[in-house]
Amino acid sequence: MTASDEAPNPGGSLAERAAAVLRRNDLGGWTKPAPHLYPHQWSWDSAFIAIGLARLDTRRAARELATLFAAQWATGLVPQIVFNPSAPAGSYFPDPARWACAELTSAAPNQPQTSGICQPPVHAIAAHAIRLVASQRDDEIAADARAFLRQIYPRLFLWHRYLATARDPDRSGLVTIYHPWESGTDNAPRWDVPLAAVEVGDLPPYTRRDLQHVTDPGQRPTDAEYDRYLWLLEALKRARYDDAVAARSHPFRIKDVLFSAILVAANDALLEIAALVEAPVAEQRQIADWRDQGRRGLAARRDATSGLCLDYDLRANATISTQTIAGLAPLVAGGLATDEVAALAGTLESPRFAGHPAFRWALPPSTSPDDPAFDPRSYWRGPIWPFLTWLFWWSLQRAGEIARAERLRLAALAQIDAVGFAEYIDPFTGEPLGSHDQSWTAAVTLDWLASPEDSASSAAERMAGLEG
Ligand code: 2M8
């Protein structure tokens, strides 16, 4: 066990253990990502958590998203963190006082307090998943899910409009991020070069809180990275979180292909939701335009030599040439020709990613072992993240690659059964790293166990007694 806090070790089936993790991390209406390391509500964690919760209780899953969207900014931004006022003092940094959002912009809510950046928009995908599961339950549950979609749709539309406009003033189809934390893949090698170009000025002092929750600091970002993270935060504060100002002068401005691909897939989901709630036709057309523009933007970022889709550094006017899982982003966006799907899925399964001969399970690592910056134990620089495996499993299914998707699902379930609900995992040794009992790991496990590919009887057996 590398995490400093002992992992509880309850018995029971995998599904029971996964449900127990979500129950323990449930703070009433929302779920913390991990027992100690992350004591607040995180945006994209909650979306994946809702997908898993839907398998237990679709109303509770809907509430997870509704709680998050109650903190949406007037601009449409859905904040990366919604702060928990009851979190133990000093348990996480940066705290609300450091962000000072409501003091600096009227776009931020006074309550609840939030951070001033965002994360990938998985939410429409989650809302749509809730509806799908609910439609297989009784009439009352299905009706509640439809009511939830009617309530959340305008907020999702505002969120996507924010990303397609304020975060893409040139209408490139690609979203600009202002901070590695916005990508969700915080210390991935793709941010090394642009982060090195950020000159840290007079930084107010701070104490890292994340290191108290892991035994080995090597599993977390370095102090040099944290200084830059905090400096970028100060830069956003100086801009008063104004997108127009940040778009001109912020020292970290990247067209993030994975974020953008998730928005494309989320626009597909939002389009289905829009039809279900009978949204105005003009809005439905707008969503389809955003989606198509996104696909064109991603196609323009494909690198013929590596076959990967590459991020673009707007400040340096340069392509970021690294080999990470984000390079396979077009698979997530969908809408590809059959040969393009086959090429990307082939790369996913090749020794450059999941097919490395020394990997314990054939699962995609966050960074390719071929990248010079690959590190199998350091956070986003190599370890396997089960929720990301889920995203590629889901994408392969959407692309009709059922056999490949099934191979991923079975390997991922075998991995989680062996190591528990770890935040991330060393691809060679299978050692669980970061936090134990990570909520989104438990959530995707529940979804995998209940997915149609699980043989009807064993799925029913595993899920028996879990539904609320
Ligand atoms: C990690 O990021 C946070 C900052 O957002 C951190 O390191 O403190 C990332 O893995 C991110 O993707 C995730 O949403 C968050 C909570 O699980 O932790």
Side-chain angles (χ1 to χ4, degrees), residues 33 38 42 44-45 80 92 119 184 186 220 379-380 385 438:
Y38 307 116
W42 258 261
W44 77 327
D45 294 66
Q80 164 224 18
Y92 188 82
Q119 280 191 317
D186 307 0
R220 295 281 307 170
Y379 209 36
W380 285 97
W385 289 70
Q438 187 82 7

Side-chain angles (χ1 to χ4, degrees), residues 62 66-67 144-156 277:
T67 309
D144 279 1
R146 281 195 301 276
F148 161 67
L149 288 188
R150 279 195 296 279
Q151 172 214 336
I152 199 92
Y153 166 79
R155 289 181 174 271
L156 287 168
V277 305

Side-chain angles (χ1 to χ4, degrees), residues 8 23 67 76 80 113 139 149 151 155 182 195 207 288 298 332 338 389 418 438 441:
R23 249 193 327 272
T67 309
Q80 164 224 18
Q113 292 178 304
D139 289 352
L149 288 188
Q151 172 214 336
R155 289 181 174 271
E182 294 206 301
L195 214 51
T207 306
L298 289 164
V332 175
T338 322
T389 304
Q438 187 82 7
T441 309

Side-chain angles (χ1 to χ4, degrees), residues 314-345:
L314 289 173
R315 190 180 170 206
N317 279 323
T319 293
I320 302 175
S321 296
T322 49
Q323 299 189 61
T324 74
I325 188 81
L328 304 173
L331 263 184
V332 175
L336 299 172
T338 322
D339 58 332
E340 291 175 307
V341 172
L344 285 165

Side-chain angles (χ1 to χ4, degrees), residues 256-273:
D256 175 341
V257 293
L258 184 57
F259 194 123
S260 304
I262 290 172
L263 180 59
V264 170
N267 272 323
D268 257 343
L270 188 58
L271 206 48
E272 293 199 36
I273 295 172

Side-chain angles (χ1 to χ4, degrees), residues 26-88:
D26 188 331
L27 290 179
W30 66 277
T31 311
K32 55 184 171 177
H36 308 286
L37 185 55
Y38 307 116
H40 308 289
Q41 183 173 27
W42 258 261
S43 170
W44 77 327
D45 294 66
S46 270
F48 287 104
I49 289 164
I51 289 168
L53 280 176
R55 299 300 187 172
L56 304 174
D57 177 350
T58 50
R59 292 180 179 121
R60 174 62 187 80
R63 210 169 148 215
E64 184 82 23
L65 292 179
T67 309
L68 177 70
F69 275 78
Q72 186 171 27
W73 287 26
T75 51
L77 173 139
V78 174
Q80 164 224 18
I81 298 176
V82 181
F83 287 105
N84 167 16
S86 312

